[in-house]
Amino acid sequence: MRIAGKIVVSALALVVFAGTAYGYSTLSSLDDVTRSNVIDAGKQPEPGEQPADGSLDILLVGRDSRADQQGNPLPPDVLRELRAGPNGDDLTDTLIVLRIPNGTQTVKAFSIPRDSYVSLPGGGKGKINAAYGRGKAEEAAKLHDAGETDKDKIEQEALTSGRRATRQAVEDLTGVRIDHFAEVNLLSFYDISKAVGGVDVCLNNATKDVDSGANFPAGPQKISGADALAFVRQRHGVKDSDFGRMRRQQVFLASLAHQVLSAGTLSNPGKVGELIDAVKKSVVLDDSWNLLDFIGQMRGISGGGIQFSTIPIVNPDYRYSKSDPRATAVQVDPAQVKQFAASLIGVPPASSKPQAPSGVVVDVANAGDASGLAQRVSDVLKGKGFAPGSTGNAAARRTSLVRYGAALATQGKAVAELLGGLATAESADVPPGHIEVTLGQVYAGPGTSSGGGDTGGGAAAGAGDTPITGAGDNCVD
């Protein structure tokens, strides 16, 4: 399942409906949705208390599982309809954080690439989507060693540990204190998308992919069920691969929210009932989440009041393993990510950016294919106080590099940080008073967008695209 955000759309879809006596009596049936002890005691604000960090923060997890929320394998006929093979795992293929600032009616949602290379709970580093399986396996082993033999108990407690590990990994990376947690899988996405009667999407080009089952014409169209699942799961033939798939997820979620909150779903008790049944059937929530209170807090939010983005990226093709040079991940800078997440709700950054002394000249060379990139990056650095030097092209190279003499080591490292945490090297060949920046083919930091400007850190692939909102047309590749 690639779209974790359906549960939040489900909640938003019920906001207006909940305003009636019938609505509240119907919503009360959500009390028996599957729960899990994901949020630590003391993290959740008391009723009526504002969250400590200025925002109500919800982690949405899409788990690539071929089992229901009780751990039972999905029947073969269901897997065939979902176009999913029998082999699943405990990776989290979608991670979306919803930030709901205090006193506003705009929800800020951001995606975390599943292959982000981060520090994992318990020590060591790895891809963030592995935190779930690692936490689950460690807890299962601990219970076995303690003599536990009840398989259902082991499975449920191990699942809880996997969810808690994922929550902790996200908190460590983003600096966001997660207040609530929601998890969906293949089946829950299928059921929820059908319950709302399909979702309007738009593709720039026709596409077909055997692995996901995607087979769509170009242009606007309505999709649901297995087709909707294929739309958000397709990776092959999608521009920028996983980043393009994340954009599809965001577009689908934005369109779903807009459709549900703007059309006839809210006034149709039958559709709302189907939506509630789908949520109850296969969604897991943290056990501290009072949905009726949450729906009350969300009154007034429209389908256009949700804005989507992606955390800043340093290198989308990061070679993190010396033993296996083919192994790649998405390199992120936790300091940049924390600043980005804080900026969504207007929180001042924890620390100021390094200041550039006057007289330090930065020369920028482009070793990739992006037209005008060297000049745009030079303009970004000029805005930070560095004197612009020469710009131009360089011999092709894959990765970026910042070079400087010994006297400008501090300033050179500051430039590397401003451009997304680039690699650095001290060299006597660099002229005195100068810093040399070479932008590699995989550079994705500030200046990547043709619109120029400083993103405040690295920018994900596709960062120059039109922002995704619930009110937009959002036609994608």
Side-chain angles (χ1 to χ4, degrees):
M1 214 303 297
R2 313 293 191 194
I3 277 286
K6 304 315 160 295
I7 173 57
V8 168
V9 173
S10 303
L12 294 178
L14 305 177
V15 171
V16 177
F17 183 69
T20 66
Y22 174 75
Y24 264 98
S25 63
T26 303
L27 289 174
S28 64
S29 66
L30 278 171
D31 287 342
D32 58 353
V33 69
T34 302
R35 300 282 186 164
S36 183
N37 181 24
V38 183
I39 308 298
D40 289 334
K43 279 184 174 286
Q44 172 62 23
E46 295 296 324
E49 178 187 356
Q50 296 291 351
D53 61 359
S55 177
L56 181 67
D57 298 300
I58 301 169
L59 174 59
L60 314 171
V61 172
R63 181 170 160 237
D64 190 12
S65 172
R66 273 67 168 171
D68 61 23
Q69 304 295 31
Q70 288 70 47
N72 303 310
L74 297 178
D77 59 323
V78 173
L79 290 174
R80 283 195 297 271
E81 188 171 1
L82 296 178
R83 301 165 186 159
N87 297 321
D89 51 36
D90 288 308
L91 298 175
T92 48
D93 275 339
T94 300
L95 294 168
I96 298 176
V97 176
L98 284 180
R99 307 217 72 185
I100 307 171
N102 296 338
T104 72
Q105 295 299 320
T106 299
V107 177
K108 303 293 183 68
F110 64 86
S111 297
I112 301 172
R114 63 177 186 166
D115 288 342
S116 298
Y117 197 68
V118 302
S119 296
L120 295 174
K125 301 195 72 172
K127 297 180 181 180
I128 197 168
N129 69 340
Y132 196 115
R134 176 172 164 173
K136 180 185 175 186
E138 289 177 352
E139 181 65 17
K142 184 189 302 182
L143 292 170
H144 279 297
D145 292 344
E148 181 60 61
T149 59
D150 187 327
K151 292 183 179 180
D152 289 339
K153 180 179 180 179
I154 292 174
E155 177 69 10
Q156 291 308 309
E157 293 191 17
L159 285 171
T160 295
S161 291
R163 292 164 185 144
R164 291 175 67 87
T166 297
R167 187 216 76 215
Q168 188 63 58
V170 169
E171 289 185 338
D172 292 345
L173 172 64
T174 65
V176 173
R177 186 191 69 175
I178 298 300
D179 299 303
H180 290 304
F181 173 95
E183 176 190 307
V184 291
N185 62 13
L186 292 170
L187 183 60
S188 51
F189 168 70
Y190 174 89
D191 288 337
I192 290 171
S193 65
K194 290 189 68 175
V196 299
V199 175
D200 294 316
V201 298
C202 178
L203 284 172
N204 290 321
N205 303 288
T207 184
K208 187 173 184 179
D209 172 42
V210 175
D211 289 344
S212 66
N215 187 4
F216 303 111
Q221 53 206 286
K222 186 182 289 289
I223 57 176
S224 67
D227 285 338
L229 187 60
F231 180 83
V232 297
R233 292 183 73 204
Q234 183 180 356
R235 178 172 55 182
H236 302 297
V238 175
K239 181 181 177 182
D240 295 324
S241 189
D242 276 346
F243 289 99
R245 182 167 55 183
M246 275 195 303
R247 188 165 176 81
R248 280 203 187 181
Q249 295 167 4
Q250 294 171 350
V251 163
F252 187 93
L253 179 54
S255 180
L256 179 57
H258 183 265
Q259 176 176 327
V260 168
L261 296 173
S262 304
T265 302
L266 296 175
S267 60
N268 186 328
K271 283 189 177 297
V272 172
E274 290 178 16
L275 196 54
I276 291 175
D277 287 343
V279 170
K280 290 169 60 177
K281 183 177 179 181
S282 52
V283 170
V284 174
L285 304 179
D286 70 85
D287 55 12
S288 65
W289 197 346
N290 185 315
L291 288 182
L292 293 181
D293 286 349
F294 172 69
I295 289 169
Q297 293 171 348
M298 298 294 283
R299 290 184 186 281
I301 290 187
S302 68
I306 305 177
Q307 299 176 1
F308 295 86
S309 55
T310 301
I311 63 170
I313 302 302
V314 174
N315 183 354
D317 191 29
Y318 176 51
R319 308 284 168 150
Y320 64 91
S321 174
K322 293 182 179 179
S323 60
D324 183 4
R326 297 172 299 177
T328 62
V330 174
Q331 185 182 14
V332 295
D333 181 344
Q336 294 175 7
V337 176
K338 289 179 174 65
Q339 184 177 37
F340 164 80
S343 72
L344 296 180
I345 59 172
V347 175
S351 60
S352 60
K353 292 183 179 180
Q355 298 298 311
S358 60
V360 176
V361 179
V362 182
D363 304 312
V364 184
N366 182 11
D369 301 323
S371 177
L373 179 60
Q375 185 61 56
R376 292 197 299 273
V377 170
S378 180
D379 290 342
V380 169
L381 293 172
K382 179 181 178 181
K384 299 301 179 183
F386 290 93
S390 64
T391 58
N393 296 321
R397 61 172 286 152
R398 185 174 162 277
T399 58
S400 302
L401 181 66
V402 177
R403 300 170 69 240
Y404 44 78
L408 292 181
T410 299
Q411 294 82 1
K413 292 175 182 177
V415 168
E417 180 181 346
L418 288 168
L419 297 182
L422 304 183
T424 61
E426 189 174 305
S427 173
D429 295 334
V430 179
H434 285 245
I435 296 171
E436 294 182 350
V437 176
T438 303
L439 305 172
Q441 295 165 341
V442 296
Y443 176 75
T448 305
S449 168
S450 59
D454 176 18
T455 65
D465 294 333
T466 303
I468 295 172
T469 68
D473 292 333
N474 300 326
C475 202
V476 294
D477 292 318

